[in-house]
């Protein structure tokens, strides 16, 4: 489960700073960020980090991360805009998933507060949109599955090419108290139109 070890950001109150950097590259866990401009402002216990002109997996993006230690309860917020990323290597490094190909565009605006990891996840809220363009889902051939259902599972192409090509795979989401809600998931291809909806309960670590 999520950790209940206390999180303290009160140390941010000890220093004020304003720093601007241009860097050739950054590494955040496994995520590789290319040439970027970084601005860090720390004042009154509130730390704001802005990454602009951020080169990222063949595309670019901007990010603003705010950590507030000025109040008794720590708070963190993230705004992220991504354009034209190569989805496969980006997702593999970020969440160890290599099932989707294509160009990734995304907007995320989330915030959370709490005295520990569990409390923060349970208070997480925000919204976003994700669009994959001109790509494919690896590991499944939906077109062949549909043809097999109509032909008594005689279509051998289902095992020949385990990939579903698409023109667009997209959806929007909102997060309330750590529960992500989506009701407009869609996949568009020359032969298929697929819709979906679901929830991700992050406090309970479950997906529907």
């Amino acid at each position: 489960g999520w950790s209940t070890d206390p999180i303290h950001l009160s140390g941010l109150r000890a220093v004020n700073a304003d720093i601007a950097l241009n860097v050739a590259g950054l590494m955040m866990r496994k995520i590789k960020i290319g040439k970027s401009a970084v601005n860090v402002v720390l004042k009154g216990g509130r730390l704001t980090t802005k990454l602009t002109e951020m080169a990222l997996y063949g595309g670019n993006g901007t990010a603003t991360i705010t950590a507030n230690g000025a109040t008794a309860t720590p708070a963190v917020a993230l705004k992220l805009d991504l354009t034209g990323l190569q989805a496969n290597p980006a997702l593999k490094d970020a969440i160890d998933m290599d099932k989707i190909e294509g160009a990734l565009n995304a907007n995320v605006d989330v915030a959370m507060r709490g005295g520990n990891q569990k409390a923060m996840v349970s208070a997480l809220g925000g919204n976003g949109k994700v669009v994959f363009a001109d790509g494919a889902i690896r590991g499944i051939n939906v077109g062949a599955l549909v043809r097999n259902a109509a032909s008594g599972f005689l279509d051998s192409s289902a095992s020949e090419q385990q990939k579903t090509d698409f023109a667009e795979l997209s959806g929007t989401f909102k997060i309330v108290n750590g529960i992500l809600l989506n009701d407009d998931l869609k996949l568009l291809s020359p032969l298929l139109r697929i819709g979906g909806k679901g929830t991700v309960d992050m406090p309970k670590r479950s997906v529907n």
Side-chain angles (χ1 to χ4, degrees):
W2 300 103
S3 173
T4 57
D5 293 341
I7 293 175
H8 300 287
L9 298 180
S10 57
L12 296 176
R13 306 174 198 170
V15 177
N16 289 336
D18 191 340
I19 303 169
L21 300 171
N22 289 303
V23 297
L26 294 170
M27 178 75 80
M28 297 178 65
R29 294 193 176 183
K30 294 182 179 180
I31 300 173
K32 305 175 187 70
I33 302 173
K35 185 178 180 181
S36 304
V38 184
N39 181 254
V40 180
V41 176
L42 176 56
K43 185 175 182 179
R46 183 182 177 91
L47 173 66
T48 302
T49 303
K50 294 184 178 181
L51 288 88
T52 61
E53 303 175 15
M54 183 169 58
L56 198 63
Y57 296 95
N60 56 76
T62 61
T64 300
I65 305 167
T66 304
N68 191 353
T71 58
T73 303
V76 178
L78 167 67
K79 291 185 178 181
L80 183 66
D81 292 289
L82 305 175
T83 305
L85 276 65
Q86 297 177 40
N88 190 260
L91 293 176
K92 187 172 183 180
D93 286 349
I95 58 175
D96 198 26
M97 184 180 77
D98 64 352
K99 298 296 185 182
I100 300 180
E101 303 173 357
L104 168 61
N105 301 307
N107 309 103
V108 178
D109 187 350
V110 295
M112 56 187 172
R113 61 188 299 114
N116 54 58
Q117 188 183 69
K118 183 177 181 179
M120 282 193 166
V121 172
S122 298
L124 181 65
N127 58 77
K129 179 178 182 179
V130 178
V131 179
F132 298 92
D134 300 322
I137 301 176
R138 295 178 177 179
I140 185 171
N141 187 334
V142 176
L145 290 175
V146 172
R147 290 192 298 272
N148 268 327
S151 62
F153 291 89
L154 299 176
D155 188 346
S156 61
S157 62
S159 60
E160 292 173 359
Q161 184 183 8
Q162 294 296 323
K163 180 184 288 189
T164 299
D165 295 323
F166 59 77
E168 179 182 320
L169 173 62
S170 65
T172 60
F173 63 85
K174 63 179 179 180
I175 304 174
V176 180
N177 295 329
I179 300 176
L180 182 148
L181 311 166
N182 164 266
D183 60 7
D184 63 355
L185 182 68
K186 64 180 179 181
L187 183 148
L188 306 177
S189 77
L191 300 176
L192 295 168
R193 299 289 188 273
I194 299 175
K197 61 181 180 179
T199 61
V200 180
D201 190 329
M202 286 177 275
K204 295 182 178 179
R205 298 175 180 252
S206 65
V207 178
N208 180 6

